[in-house]
Amino acid sequence: MKNKNDNTSSAPTIQIDAEGYYGEFGGAYIPEILHANVEALEKTYRETLDDPAFQREFNNLLTDYVGRPTPLYLARRLSEKHGCKIYLKREDLNHTGAHKINNAIGQVLLAKRMGKTRIIAETGAGQHGVATATACALMNLECVVYMGSVDVARQQLNVQKMRMLGATVVPVTSGNMTLKDAVNEAIRDWCCHPADTHYVIGSTVGPHPYPDLVARLQSVISLEIKAQLPAKEGRDYPDYLIACVGGGSNAAGAAYAYLNEPRARILLAEAAGKGIHSGESAATIHLGSVGIIHGAKTLLMQTADGQIIEPYSISAGLDYPGIGPMHAHAARVGRSEVLAITDEEALAAAAELTRLEGIIPALESAHALAALDKKQFAAGDVVVLCLSGRGDKDMDTFLKHLPVNQH
Ligand SMILES: *Cc1c(COP(=O)(O)O)cnc(C)c1O
């Protein structure tokens, strides 16, 4: 990957073009039957998002329901350890425990405005499913969530939450019965119900306009950072922005307002699982090659003859064989630097944050925290790290792998 100094002179643009591409990545590779749906979404999403009435409704819900703005917290003991100033953007304090609710509420509002009466979603660990079921309960829409049956079995609490919220959870038994298969099943459902149904995708993946739509709905994260930082640091940009990437939505949200600000370097943490070259990883940007997955041209983990390689990470939210096209492009042109973090490094970083700051992070966010150890910071550096979610959902994993105090 690129050296951090490579991107300071000129900032390549990371914005989407008129055809829905970031450089060579993106586009909409979809079955014929969905063309009308995706085109309708493409035609209306920008206008709707920019409509003052939509913005008012969305922002009111983000404030009064989700609990925004989330704090930008100076983590003093963590900063001392790394010899710089580290701020945590506390997405873990959002209602439902992560950044995913920002996108779910925005898309369900958008669907209502498009006259849709039925919402479908895919989910891996269940975080996006819970966020979508929450938004549907709030706005009184029917909700169906597709989830691999392996994930249904290992994420019972989130399955029960979705059912309590009124959603129908459909276990998917095709393929490896995990996230990738749940996406395929959701797309199949959408093909059967194109008129009344909106598909709420949970990350900056899928056919255009989804990556841009989700990035815009999550951009509230960086707009808040930009508004919060001046009072603390006398300038509105950090030297480093750090985030974990699964599909890339919390990273896109945390970076969005800084895409054309080369002084804000972007560091991304992807999941190396048991090691980049162990055969058990989800380090898509390190290992991927160009291909098409779930309607977008991007980097994906595939065999020489184009079969998708099953990804692995201890963290279900990072366990995806593709990557959002924005991030594939940003990495390729050197706008971001991508670090691969193993399960073990993430677990250690989660334990460390817990003891230094009294915050138990999600395993996904712990990958971003582990990236701090891979970098040498200068004393004056201002680092903003997106703490994408809280660790409640990962307690079983922590108890299994960490020496937790039994007293
Ligand atoms: C789902 C999830 C992620 C990964 O998704 P992105 O779209 O890459 O942000 C990261 N952190 C948490 C807490 C999640 O729930």
Side-chain angles (χ1 to χ4, degrees):
M1 290 293 117
K2 293 283 170 94
N3 180 282
K4 67 179 184 184
N5 293 322
D6 285 356
N7 58 35
T8 45
S9 49
S10 68
T13 193
I14 309 298
Q15 303 292 353
I16 199 155
D17 69 19
E19 270 75 52
Y21 283 84
Y22 302 88
E24 72 166 291
F25 303 110
Y29 299 81
I30 48 170
E32 190 64 35
I33 191 159
L34 288 179
H35 274 189
N37 262 34
V38 171
E39 204 173 287
L41 190 62
E42 209 279 321
K43 282 221 169 77
T44 53
Y45 83 106
R46 284 198 197 198
E47 206 178 297
T48 306
L49 263 48
D50 291 342
D51 175 13
F54 176 90
Q55 286 193 351
R56 211 174 311 119
E57 200 174 356
F58 184 42
N59 287 327
N60 283 344
L61 285 172
L62 290 180
T63 304
D64 296 333
Y65 186 75
V66 175
R68 306 202 70 95
T70 59
L72 185 65
Y73 164 68
L74 174 61
R76 287 185 196 279
R77 295 183 64 206
L78 187 68
S79 297
E80 244 163 60
K81 185 200 156 190
H82 291 282
C84 59
K85 284 175 112 172
I86 301 171
Y87 290 89
L88 302 178
K89 182 58 175 162
R90 298 290 308 275
E91 293 302 296
D92 60 313
L93 295 177
N94 285 328
H95 180 43
T96 69
H99 65 292
K100 290 211 170 71
I101 191 79
N102 305 324
N103 169 54
I105 290 206
Q107 279 201 51
V108 173
L109 269 178
L110 178 65
K112 270 197 112 155
R113 287 187 165 237
M114 293 178 75
K116 305 290 180 177
T117 55
R118 183 172 175 270
I119 297 293
I120 58 172
E122 85 294 340
T123 198
Q127 292 302 105
H128 174 56
V130 169
T132 305
T134 298
C136 287
L138 178 70
M139 290 178 239
N140 193 24
L141 287 184
E142 183 187 348
C143 181
V144 178
V145 180
Y146 289 92
M147 187 171 188
S149 58
V150 168
D151 293 329
V152 170
R154 62 187 175 189
Q155 302 289 343
Q156 269 301 304
L157 182 61
N158 277 340
V159 173
Q160 302 305 352
K161 282 185 187 172
M162 286 184 264
R163 289 186 171 142
M164 184 164 174
L165 286 158
T168 303
V169 179
V170 181
V172 174
T173 53
S174 55
N176 275 58
M177 307 185 226
T178 57
L179 176 62
K180 165 176 70 65
D181 314 293
V183 176
N184 288 334
E185 213 53 47
I187 291 172
R188 223 163 278 149
D189 176 313
W190 205 22
C191 288
C192 297
H193 306 92
D196 67 343
T197 298
H198 175 71
Y199 176 19
V200 177
I201 292 185
S203 189
T204 42
V205 299
H208 176 64
Y210 279 105
D212 188 48
L213 168 62
V214 177
R216 283 168 189 255
L217 292 172
Q218 292 290 3
S219 68
V220 63
I221 301 173
S222 52
L223 293 171
E224 286 178 7
I225 296 169
K226 214 168 181 173
Q228 290 166 319
L229 208 49
K232 300 173 192 290
E233 291 297 331
R235 56 174 154 109
D236 69 359
Y237 66 93
D239 298 298
Y240 291 91
L241 274 165
I242 306 183
C244 64
V245 272
S249 70
N250 88 90
Y256 198 85
Y258 298 109
L259 290 176
N260 296 321
E261 173 50 89
R263 289 174 296 184
R265 296 181 181 125
I266 300 170
L267 281 186
L268 302 179
E270 63 177 9
K274 296 184 178 166
I276 297 182
H277 300 293
S278 65
E280 291 182 77
S281 108
T284 315
I285 299 177
H286 280 87
L287 297 174
S289 54
V290 179
I292 290 168
I293 183 169
H294 300 138
K297 187 176 183 188
T298 187
L299 294 174
L300 62 128
M301 294 179 11
Q302 57 187 331
T303 60
D305 57 354
Q307 297 297 313
I308 290 169
I309 296 172
E310 281 303 320
Y312 163 80
S313 163
I314 194 168
S315 149
L318 304 183
D319 194 353
Y320 184 67
I323 178 74
M326 173 201 277
H327 295 297
H329 177 61
R332 171 150 304 177
V333 299
R335 179 64 185 92
S336 65
E337 181 182 359
V338 184
L339 302 166
I341 304 297
T342 64
D343 291 354
E344 221 161 284
E345 291 166 335
L347 283 165
E352 182 182 77
L353 185 75
T354 303
R355 290 302 180 89
L356 285 179
E357 301 288 344
I359 299 169
I360 302 179
L363 262 170
E364 291 85 359
S365 323
H367 285 71
L369 291 161
L372 291 167
D373 288 324
K374 310 241 159 180
K375 235 32 219 182
Q376 203 58 50
F377 298 102
D381 281 346
V382 173
V383 176
V384 172
L385 186 146
C386 187
L387 201 73
S388 55
R390 64 179 84 132
D392 303 31
K393 68 185 177 57
D394 299 313
M395 282 310 295
D396 286 347
T397 309
F398 291 144
L399 291 173
K400 192 166 148 204
H401 293 277
L402 293 173
V404 175
N405 194 345
Q406 297 297 329
H407 304 302

